[in-house]
């Protein structure tokens, strides 16, 4: 991405979109953007290598601490690990318990959504008092 200037192109396109965002809104958007990426790139180090060169400078454009973008990345990565079918822990546990993945998702999705909303709320509060 760096050698082909894809990162620079993405940063240029998104700079105006994040310039006037508050820290809480920026973090929420960063979490939502990272969710599908974390699902498609199951490796947390690969996910970080892919998104952090973009999220770090975007935090600078939005005038929010870079730690907020790191927290948003980590939150999305952790949440997706609860439901991703590529997680050995999830699939192994479901196999041992003889529970189907579809049944697990019916249980896990509401919990996932509650955690997503709570995470965004904590990001708003943390940004407001930090």
């Amino acid at each position: 991405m760096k050698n082909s200037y894809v990162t620079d192109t993405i940063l240029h396109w998104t700079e105006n979109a994040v310039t006037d965002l508050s820290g809480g809104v920026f973090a929420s958007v960063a979490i939502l953007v990272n969710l599908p990426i974390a699902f498609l790139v199951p490796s947390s180090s690969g996910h970080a290598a892919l998104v952090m060169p973009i999220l770090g400078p975007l935090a600078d454009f939005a005038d929010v601490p870079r730690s907020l973008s790191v927290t948003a990345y980590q939150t999305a990565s952790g949440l997706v690990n609860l439901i991703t079918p590529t997680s050995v822990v999830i699939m192994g546990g479901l196999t041992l318990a003889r529970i189907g993945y579809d049944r697990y998702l019916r249980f896990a999705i509401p919990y996932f959504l509650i955690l997503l909303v709570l995470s965004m709320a904590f990001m708003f509060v943390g940004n407001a008092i930090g």
Side-chain angles (χ1 to χ4, degrees), residues 25-35 55 68-69 72-73 76:
V25 174
F26 174 82
S28 295
V29 169
I31 289 172
L32 293 175
V33 166
N34 272 297
L35 286 173
L55 281 181
L68 203 59
S69 62
Y73 146 77

Side-chain angles (χ1 to χ4, degrees), residues 4-130:
S4 63
Y5 299 103
V6 171
T7 303
D8 297 338
T9 303
I10 292 171
L11 285 172
H12 177 71
W13 286 346
T14 55
E15 179 180 1
N16 292 334
V18 301
T19 299
D20 295 325
L21 292 181
S22 70
V25 174
F26 174 82
S28 295
V29 169
I31 289 172
L32 293 175
V33 166
N34 272 297
L35 286 173
I37 297 170
F39 188 82
L40 295 172
V41 182
S43 163
S44 58
S45 57
H47 179 204
L50 182 65
V51 299
M52 290 315 293
I54 296 169
L55 281 181
L58 279 181
D60 295 339
F61 293 143
D63 198 30
V64 298
R66 284 185 168 209
S67 60
L68 203 59
S69 62
V70 173
T71 305
Y73 146 77
Q74 192 61 46
T75 300
S77 180
L79 286 173
V80 166
N81 284 338
L82 293 172
I83 61 168
T84 186
T86 57
S87 171
V88 173
V89 173
I90 297 292
M91 298 312 285
L94 291 175
T95 302
L96 289 173
R98 296 183 184 174
I99 297 173
Y101 183 64
D102 58 334
R103 185 173 171 202
Y104 172 73
L105 282 181
R106 284 193 300 271
F107 166 79
I109 292 294
Y111 178 64
F112 172 85
L113 294 173
I114 290 168
L115 287 177
L116 177 63
V117 170
L118 284 173
S119 297
M120 288 181 181
F122 283 127
M123 296 287 269
F124 270 96
V125 171
N127 183 63
I129 63 174

